[in-house]
Amino acid sequence: MELMGEHVGKRLVLWDIDKTLLDVEGVGFEVFSAAFAEYSGLTEHQETRGAGRTEWRWFHDTLLANGVDPADDGFARFLDVQDRLFAARAAEMVERGRVLAGAERILRHCAEDSDIISSLLTGNTRRNAERKLTAFGLDHLVDFSLGAYGDDHMDRPELVSIARRRVYERVGVQFTPATTVLVGDNANDIRAAQEGGARIVAVATGETDAATLRSLDADTVLDDLSDTDAVLAALLG
């Protein structure tokens, strides 16, 4: 990257992971549930659901649903348990999961385009984001240090400014709402863009269909990432 300041024509592209780039077939939910049971000591507990939440929010919601008071250091201690359980099931994640159509191709294109900075904005913690993309051979196609994650802040819209600040501090480019693009598959991805200040390219590869994504005023809605030219037009448009 060259000088500090706005760069017309450049884009900061921030990718969601689950159901956008990858589908790990519920392994993440199972690991979270097992880790929560071990952390809390509850033999049975009330699960909470909500696509696109940060893991921090997910943990907080599950604590409250089970009448457990949040502790200041609770999330960090929970993540230590979860990391150990995730590591034990790494092979299963690959066996059960898959890279979604077009994801590797578009990530590679963005990684090779000097006008695009490509990273992540995901509810996964950074460790889980790295674990998942590495398992499927996609880790070299994004710059993890420039993204924002589910252990950076409890509320997903806040991650947009965190990612932009990291980019500015690292490469000296100040991206704006017009030059920042989120790619995701659900209502929380759209809300993050709308409240955090970014454009949203929504893909109907998760639990939310295209009609619903359009009803939430996504800037662009695509069936999936398989048409590289269409995805690029949406990212750069």
Side-chain angles (χ1 to χ4, degrees):
M1 291 291 164
E2 27 191 288
L3 303 173
M4 289 193 178
E6 282 186 37
H7 288 233
V8 176
K10 296 188 183 294
R11 290 292 183 273
L12 172 60
V13 180
L14 300 169
W15 304 89
D16 175 46
I17 295 177
D18 295 303
K19 304 292 189 179
T20 298
L21 300 175
L22 303 174
D23 187 348
V24 296
E25 290 293 340
V27 174
F29 187 90
E30 293 167 15
V31 170
F32 181 97
S33 181
F36 186 85
E38 182 173 330
Y39 165 85
S40 66
L42 297 173
T43 54
E44 295 184 1
H45 66 269
Q46 176 68 46
E47 307 280 10
T48 66
R49 295 183 179 270
R53 291 176 298 178
T54 63
E55 287 196 57
W56 196 346
R57 171 64 66 187
W58 186 2
F59 175 70
H60 185 77
D61 290 350
T62 308
L63 287 175
L64 296 181
N66 289 279
V68 181
D69 289 333
D72 290 342
D73 64 344
F75 186 51
R77 289 189 290 115
F78 165 79
L79 291 183
D80 287 340
V81 177
Q82 183 177 246
D83 282 345
R84 173 168 48 79
L85 298 182
F86 244 125
R89 297 180 65 174
E92 181 183 354
M93 184 167 62
V94 176
E95 290 166 4
R96 289 171 55 180
R98 63 193 174 99
V99 178
L100 294 179
E104 181 174 5
R105 189 164 58 250
I106 188 62
L107 285 178
R108 187 176 303 280
H109 187 101
C110 289
E112 294 171 351
D113 189 333
S114 61
D115 282 345
I116 295 175
I117 290 179
S118 183
S119 190
L120 302 168
L121 193 143
T122 171
N124 287 276
T125 65
R126 176 166 173 173
R127 281 177 286 184
N128 282 348
E130 291 177 342
R131 180 178 286 112
K132 288 179 179 179
L133 266 65
T134 299
F136 289 93
L138 303 178
D139 52 300
H140 63 296
L141 299 178
V142 297
D143 188 333
F144 289 101
S145 70
L146 302 180
Y149 304 92
D151 50 342
D152 285 323
H153 201 284
M154 191 180 295
D155 296 322
R156 194 167 183 129
E158 297 295 330
L159 301 184
V160 181
S161 61
I162 291 171
R164 272 202 289 256
R165 183 177 69 248
R166 285 178 174 157
V167 171
Y168 182 73
E169 291 172 350
R170 173 84 176 276
V171 301
V173 179
Q174 183 65 65
F175 286 94
T176 69
T179 57
T180 305
V181 187
L182 272 57
V183 185
D185 64 277
N186 61 62
N188 270 326
D189 293 312
I190 295 172
R191 184 174 68 87
Q194 292 170 342
E195 295 180 14
R199 294 194 296 111
I200 178 71
V201 175
V203 289
T205 46
E207 298 174 2
T208 308
D209 62 30
T212 302
L213 294 171
R214 291 189 186 93
S215 75
L216 295 172
D217 296 326
D219 297 299
T220 303
V221 177
L222 303 172
D223 289 335
D224 55 31
L225 298 174
S226 60
D227 186 337
T228 302
D229 290 339
V231 179
L232 281 173
L235 297 179
L236 301 175

